[in-house]
Every structure is written in structure tokens, then in C-alpha cells.
Amino acid sequence: MMLEQVSKTKVFGGWLQQFNHQSKVNNCTMRFAIYLPPQAATQKVPVLYWLSGLTCTDENVMQKSGIQRVAAELGIAIVAPDTSPRGSHVADDPEASYDFGLGAGFYVNATQAPFKPHYQMYSYIVDELPALIEAEFNVTQTRSISGHSMGGHGAITIGLKNSLRYQSISAFSPICNPINCPWGQKAFNGYLGADQTSWAEYDSCELIKKTDAKIPMLVDQGCADNFLAEQLQTESLKAAANIKQYPLTLRMQEGYDHSYYFISSFIEDHLRFHAKYLIK
């Protein structure tokens, strides 16, 4: 698969790079960022996949979180894909809202027109992108997954549905119960259609209730997050985990909001959490 390098910058002894490639599942050009720690110059390293939130791209976590410092220390590669397909030929929300269409792929495989030909973000994250990363870079097949907001939803649902592919899961401010919140209902109706039985396959709370997997999970949620009650519904995730006795560590962080200031405050904790399972 052909890679087109967009940028390359040295950070904490490693290399942060951006690439474009032609995605077969999304039928468009996709961009991702990868941070290779200094250890990758001489040995294969494990990978943490980071999924970003609404309106974001691969750049948000790489530019705002400070994630590279600890990744360089621990010897973990970070891969950050885009949040949706892009291009003039890719369907968008006709109302051009921020929470649907371009920049808001919700990490599902769309089944509805006109989104189905391009919005196959679940398959892109689970299958196509890791195959590319493992073929082209000095990394192992040992993976964990994390994300923020819409990306937190993606990280948890993908991790739960693919328990043999990921060692650990973490999230900041995840959309925990999308079948019962306005963001999720809008996205799922548009991408998956009106039949709500298909929605549960992309809902963290519903997946925890029926999973037998016990992948370690860390979730941080800011108590001052404006989206907490209506959109994120963290208490629903906690309740589902309690019923199933799922190994969830949920930390409610007093005073913190939904921003990357919050993420940068606790990103080191998340990397060290994942390192316990990525580095044997």
C-alpha cells in the first residue's frame, strides 16, 4: 500500500510523521499520524491507537496532549487516525453541522445511503489501518486503544468487540450510551438507519452487558464537563460495568472540562496504564 509522507518532525528522540494513503474500505484518501519512539530505531515496539472526537483530526492529540514524552520513555508507538473519510466526493451532513458527516464518523460501518460507500470507519480502525501500520513500520502486533469523547466511544466499543486484538482500553470523556443521547441518536439514525436493533452493536453500555471479555479499562471524566449529563452519561457505563463485574477503573476528576487541557493533565496516567499490558 502506497504511503505519501505529509510531514516529519523529531520529538523526544523519536519521529512524529503524517501520511496519506488510499483507503480501500473508505474509498478515499485517509490521513493518519504516527509517533515512533526512539526505541523503534532498533526494535519493534507495541502500539497505542488513539481515536479523536467530533471535529478533530489526527493532529489534535499529537499537538495538544504532550503524549510523545511518556511514549518515548516507555517505548510505545502512537497511531492517530482521522475521525472520518474526507474529500469533495464524500457525503456530508446537508446541514453542515459539526456532529454528523465529515469529522464525525463515529467509528461505525455505515449501512445507509449516501454514507455507506465511504463511512466504514469501524473496519478501517480494526482491520485496514493496523495491517498497514504493521506492514510498514517497526511495530509489533501488540495493541491497545484509547480515545476522547466520540473517540472514547470508539475505543471502548472497538476494544470490547475485539477482545483478542487489544490488551487494554482507556478513554477520556467517552460517549458512553450513544443510543440514548442526542449525538449518538443523530449519528446512528443517519449511518445505520431507523432500526435501532443495530445501534446496540456500537453502544458501550450494551456491549459491556453481554461481553465475557475482561479487558482492563481506565476512564477519566471531568466533573465540570458541559456534556456530561446529556451526551456522555458516564453513570450508565458505571452501572453496566457493576452489573457485569467488569474491570473498569472510572475516575471522576473534579473541576476538569471536556478539553485537551483535561487530557494533557492525565495522559501520562493512561500511557503508564497501557504500558502494564503492552510491555510484558
Side-chain angles (χ1 to χ4, degrees):
M1 191 176 294
M2 295 296 293
L3 289 177
E4 175 194 2
Q5 188 171 82
V6 177
S7 65
K8 183 176 182 179
T9 306
K10 195 167 188 178
V11 187
F12 292 106
W15 291 98
L16 171 59
Q17 302 173 78
Q18 285 179 310
F19 292 94
N20 288 333
H21 74 102
Q22 188 64 29
S23 168
K24 292 182 179 179
V25 297
N26 287 326
N27 294 299
C28 68
T29 299
M30 295 292 294
R31 189 177 75 185
F32 67 87
I34 181 168
Y35 176 69
L36 291 169
Q39 295 88 338
T42 57
Q43 66 187 57
K44 289 182 178 291
V45 297
V47 183
L48 176 65
Y49 287 84
W50 173 272
L51 308 184
S52 293
L54 292 167
T55 76
C56 294
T57 69
D58 59 289
E59 294 185 337
N60 293 73
V61 67
M62 295 302 191
Q63 294 183 3
K64 296 180 179 180
S65 71
I67 198 170
Q68 296 92 345
R69 179 181 63 82
V70 183
E73 175 194 333
L74 296 173
I76 298 173
I78 311 295
V79 173
D82 203 347
T83 50
S84 81
R86 307 276 180 175
S88 59
H89 64 300
V90 174
D92 193 9
D93 183 356
E95 298 179 358
S97 60
Y98 75 95
D99 56 356
F100 184 67
L102 297 182
F106 264 83
Y107 306 102
V108 303
N109 281 345
T111 59
Q112 303 299 301
F115 303 100
K116 183 178 178 179
H118 301 289
Y119 285 76
Q120 301 296 308
M121 288 298 294
Y122 175 85
S123 291
Y124 178 71
I125 299 299
V126 173
D127 298 315
E128 186 177 31
L129 183 60
L132 172 62
I133 296 299
E134 289 159 16
E136 298 292 336
F137 300 98
N138 203 23
V139 301
T140 69
Q141 294 182 343
T142 306
R143 319 174 192 96
S144 289
I145 193 163
S146 185
H148 171 231
S149 193
M150 178 185 73
H153 140 77
I156 295 173
T157 57
I158 286 171
L160 290 174
K161 287 164 70 75
N162 299 275
S163 60
L164 298 180
R165 298 178 68 92
Y166 301 98
Q167 303 299 311
S168 50
I169 304 167
S170 78
F172 289 87
S173 316
I175 303 172
C176 296
N177 196 197
I179 64 175
N180 289 316
C181 79
W183 278 343
Q185 290 168 347
K186 179 178 181 178
F188 287 2
N189 187 68
Y191 295 137
L192 305 175
D195 182 1
Q196 297 188 13
T197 58
S198 65
W199 296 11
E201 290 301 310
Y202 297 103
D203 185 286
S204 297
C205 294
E206 296 302 312
L207 290 171
I208 278 186
K209 290 175 185 177
K210 67 179 187 180
T211 187
D212 291 323
K214 300 295 183 182
I215 308 175
M217 185 188 306
L218 170 64
V219 172
D220 271 318
Q221 173 61 58
C223 295
D225 191 322
N226 291 335
F227 302 115
L228 177 56
E230 181 181 30
Q231 302 284 12
L232 306 181
Q233 301 182 12
T234 311
E235 285 300 316
S236 296
L237 182 68
K238 179 180 179 181
N242 287 342
I243 291 171
K244 196 67 177 183
Q245 295 185 321
Y246 190 91
L248 166 67
T249 299
L250 172 62
R251 309 191 305 185
M252 301 299 296
Q253 303 289 6
E254 192 67 36
Y256 286 92
D257 60 15
H258 199 72
S259 72
Y260 266 81
Y261 295 113
F262 169 46
I263 294 170
S264 63
S265 298
F266 299 102
I267 194 69
E268 179 171 351
D269 291 355
H270 283 240
L271 283 173
R272 296 193 185 283
F273 165 77
H274 289 296
K276 290 187 295 183
Y277 307 101
L278 287 171
I279 303 169
K280 304 300 182 182

